[in-house]
Every structure is written in C-alpha cells, then in structure tokens.
Amino acid sequence: DALATKRRLNVIVVRRKAWAPAGGRAMLNHDELMYALRFFILPTRATLGEWSFDEKPLQEAIATWGRANVAIAPHGAGLTNMAFMPPHSFIIEIIVEGQSGAVYAGLAKRMEHTYKACTYTRSRLLNRSNAFKLDVEWFKRCLQDVPWLIAAQPS
C-alpha cells in the first residue's frame, strides 16, 4: 500500500468520554486498546497518539489531525476531523451494526482517504448506553486485510 511505503505511520485514536449522556459511544477499555496498538498491533516505528475533545481550540485540531495519517475512532462527529488529515490517509471507524448512514465512509472518499469499518454487534454494548468494551482480538482480526498496518508477530 502506498501509505505504508511512503510515510511513517502516525496514528491518532479518538478517546470519547464515558460520562457523556447515554455513554457517548465511549470505548470503556480505551487504555487496553492503546496498549495493544503500541505493543502488539502497530509496527514499532509507528507514532501513536490520542485525541479527546476537551475544549481544544480549532488550531490544535488542525495541527494534531494534520500530522496523522491513520485515524481510529468510534462512530461520531469527531471523525469530521479527517478533513484536516493529509490526502490518502487511512480511516478506521468502529461502528455498531445497523448504525444509520455511511456519513464518514462518504467523507473519507471525498477527502481521498481509505476507509475501513470495523462493525461490532449490539451485544457488545453495555446496559442501555452506547458505551462498549472493545474486544482487542476482534479488532485485530478486523484489521487483517490491512497487513501493512499490523506489525509482524513473532511465531
């Protein structure tokens, strides 16, 4: 893939607040995903960062997302920040089965990004909220068709 051969991976992961109304589609085990990305999934040379929406100025969003060439995020408005990413970046949306609309897939295409949906079932949701625990092994399997993104694992 062109992204893998031309640029070092600069990955941004969106962190959503669990205490937002209705759980805010928060990934309750965000830190577990970050650990797995750093030590088991991404190549060692990849840069890994996170983005949370804590009243940050627009200039910071533009600068931070402008450095990223891979974004991993639960479905939500934060994905509109892909507009600040360099062309031909890679967007991975964690989305619930049956989620209405393909808004971010369409936006990614218009921005000349590659888009990948990792779709989980409603059974992964907790209680009545939209918060969820990400099964990291499931997520890794979702990324198997993106071999340049996954580090070679020792056998």
Side-chain angles (χ1 to χ4, degrees):
D1 187 276
L3 178 61
T5 57
K6 290 182 183 177
R7 297 183 271 179
R8 180 177 176 171
L9 295 179
N10 190 349
V11 181
I12 190 167
V13 182
V14 172
R15 178 185 288 267
R16 296 181 65 110
K17 295 177 182 171
W19 48 266
R25 289 184 298 271
M27 186 184 328
L28 298 176
N29 59 334
H30 180 92
D31 290 335
E32 181 182 352
L33 173 62
M34 295 298 282
Y35 181 85
L37 286 168
R38 169 53 55 226
F39 295 106
F40 300 108
I41 298 175
L42 295 175
T44 56
R45 288 185 27 135
T47 301
L48 178 62
E50 65 180 28
W51 178 260
S52 60
F53 301 93
D54 295 325
E55 312 247 344
K56 294 182 177 142
L58 178 61
Q59 295 80 2
E60 187 175 343
I62 292 169
T64 301
W65 285 77
R67 287 187 298 271
N69 53 21
V70 177
I72 300 172
H75 174 79
L79 278 166
T80 58
N81 286 306
M82 75 172 81
F84 305 131
M85 295 173 75
H88 311 290
S89 292
F90 199 87
I91 310 301
I92 301 164
E93 181 177 15
I94 302 167
I95 189 167
V96 71
E97 186 175 56
Q99 184 82 46
S100 61
V103 175
Y104 302 109
L107 179 59
K109 184 176 180 179
R110 285 182 197 86
M111 301 300 304
E112 299 181 17
H113 300 321
T114 300
Y115 174 86
K116 168 84 175 156
C118 287
T119 307
Y120 59 92
T121 62
R122 286 258 174 217
S123 65
R124 294 183 189 273
L125 296 174
L126 303 175
N127 302 319
R128 294 177 309 249
S129 77
N130 288 319
F132 65 99
K133 284 190 177 180
L134 183 72
D135 179 331
V136 174
E137 286 303 314
W138 166 85
F139 185 67
K140 188 174 176 183
R141 286 189 304 274
C142 181
L143 299 178
Q144 282 183 338
D145 61 343
V146 192
W148 56 265
L149 183 62
I150 300 177
Q153 299 299 314
S155 40

